[in-house]
Amino acid sequence: MAVNYTPQDVEYLELAVEEAKKSVPVESAYCVGAVLVTDGKVLTTGFSRELPGNTHAEECALLKLDSAPVNLRDATMYTTMEPCSERLSGKPPCTERIISAGVGRVVLGVKEPAHFVQCQGVKLLEAAGVKVVYVPGLEEKCLAPNSHIVS
């Protein structure tokens, strides 16, 4: 996981934090925000449980893409927390969705705490050729919407 990030990465990650704040807290899940960007343009955003069906932030952002096929190889998924590698609900994890969608880069603000599962999101993304970038210094902001779980 690289730490080479740009001022734009910080800006979009802070936008993802604002998305996370829209999540309704539940005891069994984190509140995460995601922003999908390409060529300096926000394609979609998402937050935990935004769409019906116990949805995750990255999942929502990808589901909200227009039906027209989009090449996401040069796109970046900004997410407040490491994309999940396992879901207790049995649904496909966000790492699998990001890889399947062809997203070329993921920027995150914090690794997933080991509260529910031992997340391997960064490892799986990197193994699939996705560039993963960590932006230090935003951990507190990224975890703030999760005060109901993370103390």
Side-chain angles (χ1 to χ4, degrees):
M1 178 169 52
V3 186
N4 299 335
Y5 61 93
T6 67
Q8 290 79 22
D9 289 337
V10 174
E11 181 180 316
Y12 288 123
L13 197 51
E14 287 183 343
L15 182 57
V17 169
E18 293 307 309
E19 288 296 309
K21 291 177 183 176
K22 297 176 185 177
S23 303
V24 175
V26 296
E27 290 181 20
S28 60
Y30 293 113
C31 294
V32 177
V35 178
L36 185 61
V37 175
T38 191
D39 296 324
K41 177 185 169 195
V42 174
L43 293 176
T44 62
T45 61
F47 58 90
S48 301
R49 296 166 298 285
E50 176 182 8
L51 300 175
N54 186 31
T55 52
H56 287 193
E58 303 91 338
E59 176 183 11
C60 289
L62 290 169
L63 287 172
K64 289 165 49 179
L65 283 173
D66 291 334
S67 58
V70 178
N71 182 350
L72 298 177
R73 196 181 71 145
D74 295 326
T76 299
M77 176 72 76
Y78 293 89
T79 180
T80 56
M81 191 177 289
E82 177 181 19
C84 68
S85 59
E86 179 183 351
R87 291 185 66 173
L88 298 177
S89 66
K91 293 176 73 174
C94 292
T95 52
E96 185 179 309
R97 291 175 185 275
I98 290 167
I99 292 165
S100 294
V103 175
R105 184 170 178 258
V106 172
V107 175
L108 58 104
V110 69
K111 298 259 300 166
E112 180 176 332
H115 187 76
F116 299 115
V117 297
Q118 294 294 320
C119 189
Q120 300 293 316
V122 168
K123 181 179 176 181
L124 293 171
L125 290 168
E126 289 178 335
V130 177
K131 182 176 181 181
V132 180
V133 177
Y134 165 67
V135 177
L138 294 177
E139 298 89 354
E140 191 173 309
K141 283 184 179 180
C142 290
L143 288 173
N146 296 290
S147 61
H148 64 288
I149 296 172
V150 181
S151 53

